[in-house]
Amino acid sequence: MPHRTPLPGTNTIQIIGACPHDCPDTCSLLTTVENGVAIKVQGNPAHPHTAGSLCTKVSRYTERTYHPDRILQPMKRVGPKGSGQFAPVSWVEALEDIASRLTTIAAVDPQAVQPYSYAGTMGLVQGESMAGRFFNKLGASLLERTICASAGGAGLVHTLGGKVGTRVEFFAESKLILIWGSNSISSNLHFWRYANQAKRDGAKLICIDPRKSETAEKCHEHIALLPGTDGALALSIMQQLIIHDWLDHDYLTNYTLGWDQLRERALQWPPERAAAVCGITAAQIESLARDYGASVQSGAPAAIRMNYGLQRVHGGGNAVRLIAMLPALIGAWRHRAGGVLLSASGAFPVQRAKLERPDLLAGRTPRTVNMATIGNDLLRPASPDFGPAIAALIVYNSNPVAIAPDSAKVVAGFAREDLFTVVLEHFQTDTADYADYILPATTQLEHWDVHSSYGHTDALLNRPAIAPVGQAKPNTQIFRELAAHMGFTDACFADTDEVLCRQAYGDAVDFDELLDKGFVTLPTPEAPFAEGGFPTPSGKCEFFSQRLADRGLDGLPDHVPNYEAFNTSTDYPLAMISPPARNFLNSSFVNVQSLRDTEGEPLLEMHPADAATRHIQNGDTVRVFNKRGEHCCRVSLNDRARPGVVHGLGVWWRKFGMDGTNVNQLTSQALTDLGNAPTFYDCLVEVQAA
Ligand SMILES: Nc1nc2c(c(=O)[nH]1)N[C@H]1C(S)=C(S)[C@@H](COP(=O)(O)OP(=O)(O)OC[C@H]3O[C@@H](n4cnc5c(=O)[nH]c(N)nc54)[C@H](O)[C@@H]3O)O[C@H]1N2
Ligand SMILES: Nc1nc2c(c(=O)[nH]1)N[C@H]1C(S)=C(S)[C@@H](COP(=O)(O)OP(=O)(O)OC[C@H]3O[C@@H](n4cnc5c(=O)[nH]c(N)nc54)[C@H](O)[C@@H]3O)O[C@H]1N2
Ligand SMILES: [Mo]
């Protein structure tokens, strides 16, 4: 069988899996196992998007799996809360005690139990399947999973109708690619392969990003706008397309809704106005619009690769709406290599209700807590408005103490003596330090799963390559056993992981093909909106959204300035963004020595001119601070930063920081215009030599 290939004359087999990480690429993995030990993880050459290559991080997967610091048995807190002191206990002892604590809390109000999870694994099974069933049966609070993508997601849904777009492979045929708010080389490497192919075939690549990233360096042009000003830029591109009549009138008439209103609004954004907001020149905007509009005359396809980097600001939802509209103005959707891609995840027929079983709520409607405001919510007392104070927190697939905004509040919440916290983890993360119990979870090499992707349209299967390391158990198994200890006897708690894998797509994906090849390409149209057919209520690309208007919001998109806009504070004059460090995946891999060695230490990138006025030298230790807190790190003076903007590359574990903090000490809990998402990159700071 191809998925389990013995290599001739050896004790070695190769198993096909899937990369579990929160990344658009969702690679197909090939793990080589010798005598039961995984010795190598490679990209699967048979999977077209992976094309046999992996990023540096995941090619070090065995180093992470067999890491000497892995949690290999259940651990119970023995020191003061947050001290990180634990002693091993048996599974039975841990599960009995946890079940008894949860039962006591739930007897008063099950909503006092709060799950907290995100995409530590993107697996549909090790994510919210058995866990969802467990919390639904209990009647626990729900979690609004907003930490990453919900502003942009809402922007897409209210414009194109769903998380759908240009197929990634067709970017290879584009003649103009705008890489907008994405450091593709670092965070979407397998898209970069297609963009590079287009570049070799004569395409022009333009990067729109405050930071001169690895990707910006490799593009023909780089437009270093101020954070959170993308909406203004998009409106001004529209203004130029209109006044020069670089428009596809036929497309606008037949396949869009609200063009007259949008036209009026865009005409208010001449390049001079937008340039002042964006901190760039009017000539840059005119040139960008000319390149984009040229596609109308030449017929050469123009495509936009947005990524979530641009929507972590107050106006993130509106900015994504505006950018997602651009292809309709020039009729770029007519080509399979034209249009826009932010997320492809809407293409996947995931059977969430089958996996999570909301019917187990049995008519109860628990409150919903937003993961972006966990700092505030852990500190909220009981009230008629909120309901019970959070009394128990079950964390899996996430490291909130490191990754959630406004760390001072988050840490104060986790440090509450009366909060009972259980963390399912591979490692003793910053979050695990605050646990009452740490339960050892398996890694991707040790369990079954099924995956979707947000960067391509292939479904993937992950087979376990090795037996669980130590006493680790899959998340599913931990929740299965916890359910048994709670006395939950519904038949669905007995479903095995292989059964759950089959349930994830039901009949919509051929499971035998998945078992056989490890991936299945979904049948999606080559040029999805060549002739309209948007999955919106109107069937058109919705410039005007009645659904937003019905919620009392502006049905038409606009530039929404940052809460903490550049030039609005003399105390905190610098805008800080905190995009991913290349060798980490959010806060995962920070503890893998070889990768941490490459990243060095937490760094603040700063423009030499901003440093000069503050008497800061390259390599100095600096205090980065604002009204929420202070974070000390080393400064790197280089031309990656534009004047006025600093970059705190993330997301380090706090305990590796020189003062035990990371950049989220500075970020705020304010939410975006659409989607209730955090605003990590909407953050003013001041910097001093420490
Ligand atoms: N190596 C690596 N890969 C990753 C991740 C990682 O941590 N490391 N994270 C993964 C995750 S969780 C996600 S969500 C995805 C996408 O993750 P994203 O967070 O979108 O990451 P990037 O693609 O690096 O895009 C961020 C880029 O947006 C830029 N940016 C910041 N603010 C603005 C702005 O206001 N406007 C514009 N135009 N640009 C801005 C940043 O400078 C940066 O270069 O990547 C995934 N891939
Ligand atoms: N300042 C700043 N903050 C950010 C961002 C930023 O750009 N700047 N990016 C934001 C974004 S885009 C995102 S998506 C979030 C990400 O935040 P998280 O979703 O919390 O992601 P990670 O930090 O990678 O932590 C995931 C944890 O899950 C664990 N894990 C992995 N697989 C499994 C498993 O199978 N079982 C169990 N039990 N655990 C597992 C890993 O060991 C890891 O500790 O961070 C956000 N925070
Ligand atoms: Mo993310």
Side-chain angles (χ1 to χ4, degrees), residues 142-380:
L142 305 175
L143 182 71
E144 195 178 4
R145 293 186 170 80
T146 55
I147 203 81
C148 168
S150 59
L156 285 186
V157 166
H158 291 99
T159 308
L160 306 180
K163 290 184 168 186
V164 285
T166 310
R167 264 164 56 179
V168 64
E169 58 270 36
F170 297 139
F171 277 83
E173 300 167 10
S174 303
K175 290 299 167 204
L176 174 69
I177 303 180
L178 308 188
I179 300 183
W180 203 323
S182 171
N183 183 3
S184 314
I185 292 180
S186 155
S187 65
N188 190 189
L189 186 62
H190 294 76
F191 156 76
W192 178 253
R193 204 168 56 84
Y194 295 121
N196 220 5
Q197 194 177 324
K199 189 181 174 195
R200 280 195 303 272
D201 291 345
K204 181 168 184 179
L205 271 50
I206 302 177
C207 184
I208 303 171
D209 192 316
R211 177 170 186 249
K212 190 172 182 192
S213 64
E214 297 88 332
T215 310
E217 279 173 340
K218 295 246 158 57
C219 289
H220 297 99
E221 272 174 36
H222 173 213
I223 299 180
L225 78 185
L226 288 165
T229 63
D230 302 271
L233 178 59
L235 282 161
S236 194
I237 294 173
M238 290 180 187
Q239 189 267 2
Q240 289 286 293
L241 298 176
I242 294 164
I243 64 166
H244 295 290
D245 197 26
W246 294 322
L247 297 168
D248 184 332
H249 292 280
D250 180 62
Y251 198 94
L252 284 167
T253 306
N254 291 310
Y255 307 131
T256 71
L257 184 73
W259 170 234
D260 289 343
Q261 292 141 288
L262 179 65
R263 191 174 176 281
E264 281 307 301
R265 188 157 287 176
L267 284 172
Q268 295 162 24
W269 285 90
E272 295 71 22
R273 178 179 176 201
V277 170
C278 300
I280 56 178
T281 66
Q284 282 177 296
I285 300 175
E286 285 157 4
S287 157
L288 175 61
R290 192 176 316 113
D291 283 337
Y292 195 63
S295 145
V296 180
Q297 275 86 40
S298 65
I304 303 174
R305 182 58 166 112
M306 265 196 272
N307 213 336
Y308 287 109
L310 71 92
Q311 46 97 65
R312 308 190 202 291
V313 291
H314 184 190
N318 270 274
V320 167
R321 287 201 74 210
L322 284 160
I323 297 166
M325 289 171 188
L326 288 170
L329 271 71
I330 62 165
W333 290 115
R334 293 183 190 277
H335 309 269
R336 68 178 192 176
V340 59
L341 175 63
L342 170 58
S343 170
S345 64
F348 290 84
V350 181
Q351 314 282 307
R352 295 210 187 273
K354 285 236 169 65
L355 290 175
E356 298 175 30
R357 298 291 303 271
D359 55 294
L360 294 169
L361 283 169
R364 294 168 295 182
T365 50
R367 72 166 170 212
T368 300
V369 166
N370 185 343
M371 70 189 300
T373 54
I374 192 66
N376 283 341
D377 290 335
L378 281 177
L379 298 174
R380 273 172 88 165

Side-chain angles (χ1 to χ4, degrees), residues 437-465:
Y437 280 98
I438 313 176
L439 302 179
T442 46
T443 70
Q444 190 77 343
L445 300 191
E446 301 151 65
H447 55 227
W448 284 93
D449 219 326
V450 167
H451 288 257
S452 57
S453 168
Y454 58 101
H456 60 66
T457 48
D458 294 352
L460 283 86
L461 177 81
N462 183 72
R463 282 173 181 271

Side-chain angles (χ1 to χ4, degrees), residues 578-620:
S578 44
R582 183 170 183 180
N583 292 288
F584 303 150
L585 196 294
N586 301 318
S587 78
S588 297
F589 297 98
V590 175
N591 62 327
V592 174
Q593 188 72 47
S594 66
L595 297 169
R596 195 166 72 249
D597 287 347
T598 312
E599 288 299 333
E601 60 186 326
L603 277 186
L604 187 80
E605 293 178 338
M606 186 180 220
H607 190 272
D610 289 326
T613 54
R614 291 171 176 78
H615 310 289
I616 292 171
Q617 315 281 330
N618 191 32
D620 278 357

Side-chain angles (χ1 to χ4, degrees), residues 22 64 397-399 403 424-425 475 578 587-588 664 681:
D22 188 349
R64 188 173 187 280
N397 302 341
S398 186
N399 183 11
I403 63 86
L424 285 62
E425 253 300 349
N475 291 344
S578 44
S587 78
S588 297
N664 280 321
Y681 301 170

Side-chain angles (χ1 to χ4, degrees), residues 14-37:
Q14 283 192 321
I15 313 271
I16 300 183
C19 179
H21 287 290
D22 188 349
C23 166
D25 295 16
T26 317
C27 290
S28 177
L29 303 182
L30 215 47
T31 302
T32 307
V33 180
E34 201 173 76
N35 301 318
V37 177

